[in-house]
């Protein structure tokens, strides 16, 4: 039986179009369907080898507008495909702006036993499909090479020839084609002429989530978890406003991630407000706004727990999932 490589479309710049071929910035994201994107790649057939392509448009969104309903739909569709015996792997086309969040979310909710055998590879583009020189087609081909690699596992991100783990990857540049970085550890590997050169085993970047059943994903909305940042002159005013009675229709704040300075340090007034919030039941997590490294806990017990190396946006996802369990 021929196995399938399933392409799930989520939108993004990779599916974007502009009025002019020369315009790589003034475009509208999420205009072309995933099927159209694949049709525009003449060498895709050869890259797929003995895999049969199957496409599904799960969402068509500029990823800045990614929301709970998109993630929920994607997680359920992805899991359904992974459970099917004729599916070998998934490739997801997605906008770059919140790609790291979707990748981390999927890495936490998809069944660990399935993604250990069937990789889920997210890819993207920094230039729209209408560009004179789009980067999307090569990124898709590279994602296919990774999806076919025997050594691929877990949820991976492929962009500009580099392979990143969902936990480590971060968008670090608003314009250049290699916009992603994996911080201290570097990428897991590189794709060169259709061949993946692994620097680390994909399993190194893949820490199976605790068993999280998709049934725990709430139907309507995620628990509200906000992110606040420490900076020179920060105060507790934002936190006090967040935990005050919510405006009609707004859900109450259940958690706050603080993007601390340096090793997770927090202005004393902000810290006092966070402690007060914690005392009334709001979950607080301390991360760092530094783009690399992790908060290193000292020997003294921390009143505000740290994010275990997760960036603020990923710590927010981890906390939301924890609150849903
Ligand atoms: C988006 O994230 O959907 C738009 C920006 C991009 O894909 O580069």
């Amino acid at each position: 039986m021929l196995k399938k490589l399933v392409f799930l479309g989520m939108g993004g710049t990779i599916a974007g179009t502009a009025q002019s071929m020369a315009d790589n910035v003034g475009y509208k994201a999420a205009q072309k369907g995933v099927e159209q994107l694949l049709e525009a790649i003449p060498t895709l057939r050869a890259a797929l080898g003995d895999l049969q392509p199957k496409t599904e448009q799960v969402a068509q969104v500029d990823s800045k507008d990614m929301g709970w309903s998109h993630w929920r739909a994607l997680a359920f569709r992805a899991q359904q495909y992974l459970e099917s015996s004729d599916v070998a792997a998934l490739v997801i086309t997605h906008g770059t702006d919140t790609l790291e969040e979707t990748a981390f979310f999927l890495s936490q909710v998809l069944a660990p036993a399935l993604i250990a055998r069937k990789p889920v590879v997210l890819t993207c583009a920094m230039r729209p499909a209408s560009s004179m020189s789009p980067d999307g087609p090569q990124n898709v081909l590279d994602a296919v090479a990774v999806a076919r690699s025997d050594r691929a596992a877990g949820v991976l991100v492929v962009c500009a020839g580099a392979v990143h783990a969902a936990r480590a990857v971060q968008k670090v540049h608003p314009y250049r084609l290699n916009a992603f970085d994996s911080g201290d550890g570097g990428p897991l590997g590189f794709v060169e002429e259709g061949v993946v050169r692994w620097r680390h085993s994909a399993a190194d970047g893949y820490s199976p989530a605790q068993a999280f059943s998709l049934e725990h994903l709430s139907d309507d909305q995620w628990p509200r978890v906000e992110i606040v940042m420490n900076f020179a002159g920060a105060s507790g005013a934002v936190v006090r406003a967040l935990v005050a009675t919510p405006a009609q229709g707004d859900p109450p704040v259940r958690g706050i991630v603080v993007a601390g300075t340096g090793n997770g340090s927090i202005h004393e007034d902000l810290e006092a407000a966070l402690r007060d919030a914690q005392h009334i039941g709001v979950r607080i997590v301390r991360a760092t706004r530094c783009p690399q490294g992790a908060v290193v806990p000292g020997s003294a017990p921390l009143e505000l727990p740290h994010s275990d190396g997760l960036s603020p946006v990923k710590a927010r996802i981890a906390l939301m999932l924890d609150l849903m369990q």
Side-chain angles (χ1 to χ4, degrees):
M1 176 176 52
L2 282 183
K3 294 255 183 184
K4 293 193 180 95
L5 180 56
V6 179
F7 293 87
L8 301 179
M10 294 297 287
T13 294
I14 190 167
T17 53
Q19 301 280 2
S20 151
M21 289 172 82
D23 193 346
N24 288 319
V25 176
Y27 58 85
K28 206 161 161 28
Q31 300 301 301
K32 290 192 170 211
V34 62
E35 198 156 343
Q36 265 183 297
L37 298 183
L38 300 191
E39 278 163 11
I41 309 176
T43 57
L44 181 67
R45 267 267 154 223
L48 284 168
D50 55 4
L51 292 177
Q52 284 288 114
K54 157 132 188 78
T55 57
E56 181 175 329
Q57 195 74 43
V58 176
Q60 186 63 300
V61 65
D62 184 325
S63 81
K64 71 180 173 55
D65 299 323
M66 194 65 63
W68 183 235
S69 57
H70 305 117
W71 273 5
R72 204 172 175 280
L74 178 60
F76 276 96
R77 290 309 287 144
Q79 179 100 339
Q80 254 165 11
Y81 280 118
L82 292 168
E83 279 167 356
S84 165
S85 59
D86 67 347
V87 168
L90 306 184
V91 169
I92 301 173
T93 55
H94 193 290
T96 61
D97 286 348
T98 57
L99 183 73
E100 71 214 54
E101 295 175 54
T102 301
F104 180 71
F105 166 73
L106 290 176
S107 75
Q108 300 302 293
V109 301
L110 295 176
L114 289 175
I115 56 176
R117 289 184 291 119
K118 302 182 179 190
V120 176
V121 186
L122 287 91
T123 195
C124 56
M126 290 297 287
R127 291 181 182 158
S130 56
S131 169
M132 201 157 9
S133 156
D135 53 329
Q138 186 62 54
N139 286 343
V140 170
L141 289 170
D142 290 349
V144 168
V146 172
R148 292 187 62 202
S149 166
D150 291 344
R151 294 178 59 186
V155 179
L156 303 165
V157 168
V158 171
C159 183
V163 188
H164 303 274
R167 186 181 169 90
V169 70
Q170 224 176 335
K171 186 172 181 184
V172 294
H173 203 281
Y175 185 75
R176 70 180 189 215
L177 301 189
N178 61 338
F180 289 88
D181 191 79
S182 280
D184 289 347
L188 292 174
F190 300 99
V191 191
E192 293 150 346
E193 299 294 302
V195 176
V196 189
R197 176 164 58 89
W198 293 100
R199 291 175 66 238
H200 306 290
S201 151
D204 291 351
Y206 165 54
S207 49
Q210 295 152 10
F212 185 97
S213 165
L214 287 185
E215 287 149 32
H216 291 305
L217 296 182
S218 86
D219 281 348
D220 45 0
Q221 62 189 2
W222 45 39
R224 185 170 167 207
V225 176
E226 298 288 346
I227 300 175
V228 301
M229 189 187 268
N230 193 50
F231 45 84
S235 80
V238 170
V239 170
R240 287 188 284 274
L242 282 175
V243 299
T245 311
Q248 200 166 8
D250 284 345
V253 171
R254 307 267 315 276
I256 298 175
V257 174
V258 54
T261 28
N263 198 31
S265 62
I266 308 170
H267 185 288
E268 56 190 359
D269 188 46
L270 175 56
E271 183 156 2
L274 289 165
R275 285 218 181 97
D276 289 345
Q278 194 180 41
H279 289 146
I280 58 164
V282 177
R283 294 270 302 275
I284 310 293
V285 172
R286 180 199 296 254
T288 174
R289 68 179 210 187
C290 293
Q292 298 200 4
V295 173
V296 180
S299 49
L302 279 180
E303 209 174 318
L304 303 180
H306 65 84
S307 68
D308 196 22
L310 293 175
S311 66
V313 290
K314 291 179 189 170
R316 172 177 172 269
I317 295 165
L319 182 50
M320 287 191 314
L321 294 175
D322 204 30
L323 285 163
M324 269 184 269
Q325 295 260 31

